[in-house]
Structures are given as C-alpha cells and as structure tokens.
C-alpha cells in the first residue's frame, strides 16, 4: 500500500536492486529479517559480487548461497554451523553492516530493552497495563521503568563525557529510544508510556 510508512524506502531499495523480494517476487514488510536476507542486502549495498562455492553445504535457499559464500570470504560470518533462515540479532546486524566502514562496535547492557519479567510477550493485559502506568513498580521478576531510565541516562552521560566531539550510532529497541528521547526533551508520564519512533527509523539528537 502506498500509504504504508515504509513504502518509499521499499520502493527505493527495489529500484536500486538492493531488495527484490523473496523467490516468486513476494515481499513481507512485517516479517523478521533472516541472516541470509541481511547478508544479501549488505553485499548489494557494498557492491560486493556473489561468489561460487557452498562451504556450508546449504541444500535449500539456493538464491542466497553465492552471497553467503562472499560473506564468509569477507569475514562477516565465521566457519561452523550456519542456519540461513535463522532470524538475526541487532548485534549481528551491526557487525555485518559495519564491515564496509570498520567502525568500533561496543555492546552495552544498559541499553537492553526493559525486562518485563513474567509479562514478556504480553501487552494487552490489564495487570501489565497497571505496572506500565506506575513507573516505580517492578514488573514481577523484571525491572521498573525507573531502573531503565537510570541505566540509560548513565549510558548517555558516559557518552557525553568520553566522546564530546563524536557522532555516536546507538542501535536499540523502541522502548529504549523513548527513554533516550526523554533525556533530550521533556515528556509527560503519558508520553513516556506511549511515544514510539517509527520502525527502523533513525532518531538524531544533539546536546
């Protein structure tokens, strides 16, 4: 649909041959990205040619094998077990995309998504909403929003201190982006519960 928030981005990626859809021309905009899909996208973005070979002896997913071979040769992935259909983590995504730039990557537990405890995967639940509206309450077997704010603010303050003149790219979940947003802009309690950036967007902040 042309009204979808991702329409222009998908169209541009398709026009430039970066994304051509799954075999048969299908494209699932809400689907999770697999390892093979990201590898193909990264290779095309960087102008890396596909290679002959099939080191991992992949019997299916023939369309991605030449790019997986390229990724292995370039050091994006390592020898060993490789499942092309496996969904990819944000850390792995950053590593593969970064191969063209060789920027330093650091993983920091302070910007992990909030631990919802027993409510992981549950959103439309009256009890969950009660905890969500009370920022100082710990989710059962989880943490409170105040704890998340404390660790994220600590992370941001450290960035300011250690990299005062640098541009820093932070890859994280939308809930953490919301807390980061509150560090730079005043937000009401309602905003802190409900404001979210668009999926896969880039938020820019300067202090």
């Amino acid at each position: 649909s042309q009204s979808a928030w991702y329409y222009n981005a998908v169209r541009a990626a398709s026009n430039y041959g970066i994304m051509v859809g799954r075999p048969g021309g299908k494209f699932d905009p809400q689907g999770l990205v697999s390892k093979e899909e990201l590898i193909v996208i990264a290779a095309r973005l960087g102008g890396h040619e596909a290679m002959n070979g099939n080191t991992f002896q992949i019997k299916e997913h023939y369309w991605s094998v030449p790019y997986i071979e390229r990724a292995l040769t370039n050091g994006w992935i390592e020898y060993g077990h490789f499942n092309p259909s496996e969904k990819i983590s944000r850390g792995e995504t950053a590593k593969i995309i970064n191969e063209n730039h060789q920027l330093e990557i650091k993983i920091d537990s302070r910007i992990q998504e909030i631990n919802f405890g027993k409510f992981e995967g549950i959103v439309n639940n009256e009890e969950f909403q009660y905890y969500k509206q009370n920022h100082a309450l710990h989710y059962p077997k989880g943490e409170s929003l105040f704890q998340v704010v404390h660790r994220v603010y600590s992370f941001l303050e450290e960035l300011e201190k250690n990299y005062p003149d640098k541009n820093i790219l932070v890859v994280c979940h939308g809930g953490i982006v919301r807390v980061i947003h509150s560090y730079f802009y005043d937000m009401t309690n309602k905003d802190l519960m409900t404001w979210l950036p668009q999926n896969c967007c880039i938020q820019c902040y300067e202090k």
Side-chain angles (χ1 to χ4, degrees):
S1 169
Q2 294 187 16
S3 62
W5 62 266
Y6 48 77
Y7 175 80
N8 289 333
V10 172
R11 183 177 180 182
S14 176
N15 289 342
Y16 283 102
I18 297 168
M19 301 175 70
V20 296
R22 292 174 178 167
K26 295 182 179 180
F27 180 80
D28 180 7
Q30 303 299 334
L32 298 176
V33 175
S34 66
K35 290 185 175 181
E36 63 179 346
E37 289 170 335
L38 181 68
I39 285 171
V40 172
I41 291 169
R44 289 172 177 166
L45 275 172
H48 300 281
E49 295 184 359
M51 290 183 62
N52 293 326
N54 188 1
T55 301
F56 294 111
Q57 298 296 305
I58 298 172
K59 297 180 180 179
E60 299 179 357
H61 309 271
Y62 58 89
W63 63 276
S64 63
V65 169
Y67 292 99
I68 292 172
E69 199 69 19
R70 167 58 66 187
L72 181 63
T73 300
N74 287 7
W76 302 353
I77 55 178
E78 299 176 354
Y79 288 95
H81 174 72
F82 180 81
N83 179 1
S85 298
E86 185 178 355
K87 304 312 175 186
I88 194 162
S89 71
R90 287 163 179 77
E92 291 172 309
T93 300
K95 180 179 183 298
I96 290 174
I97 295 297
N98 186 49
E99 289 299 328
N100 290 325
H101 305 286
Q102 293 300 311
L103 301 175
E104 181 183 10
I105 294 178
K106 292 185 177 181
I107 298 176
D108 196 307
S109 61
R110 289 175 292 179
I111 55 170
Q112 289 181 344
E113 183 59 294
I114 185 171
N115 179 1
F116 289 115
K118 76 172 190 178
F119 292 114
E120 287 291 346
I122 301 174
V123 291
N124 296 319
N125 176 287
E126 185 175 343
E127 186 182 5
F128 169 79
Q129 292 299 327
Y130 172 76
Y131 282 96
K132 184 176 181 179
Q133 293 171 24
N134 291 276
H135 303 332
L137 290 181
H138 292 68
Y139 290 95
K141 299 183 179 180
E143 61 184 338
S144 70
L145 181 59
F146 279 4
Q147 286 180 300
V148 177
V149 170
H150 173 73
R151 58 179 166 85
V152 173
Y153 280 19
S154 170
F155 168 78
L156 294 172
E157 288 167 356
E158 186 175 298
L159 289 186
E160 283 191 77
K161 178 182 177 181
N162 295 339
Y163 309 99
D165 301 317
K166 299 291 185 180
N167 294 322
I168 307 295
L169 175 65
V170 178
V171 182
C172 56
H173 283 272
I176 298 301
V177 177
R178 180 192 298 145
V179 176
I180 292 174
H181 193 78
S182 76
Y183 183 80
F184 293 91
Y185 299 102
D186 287 340
M187 300 177 73
T188 65
N189 288 340
K190 182 179 180 181
D191 290 337
L192 200 55
M193 287 193 306
T194 60
W195 182 87
L196 276 177
Q198 291 185 334
N199 287 337
C200 302
C201 77
I202 297 177
Q203 295 284 128
C204 296
Y205 299 99
E206 185 174 353
K207 196 168 184 179

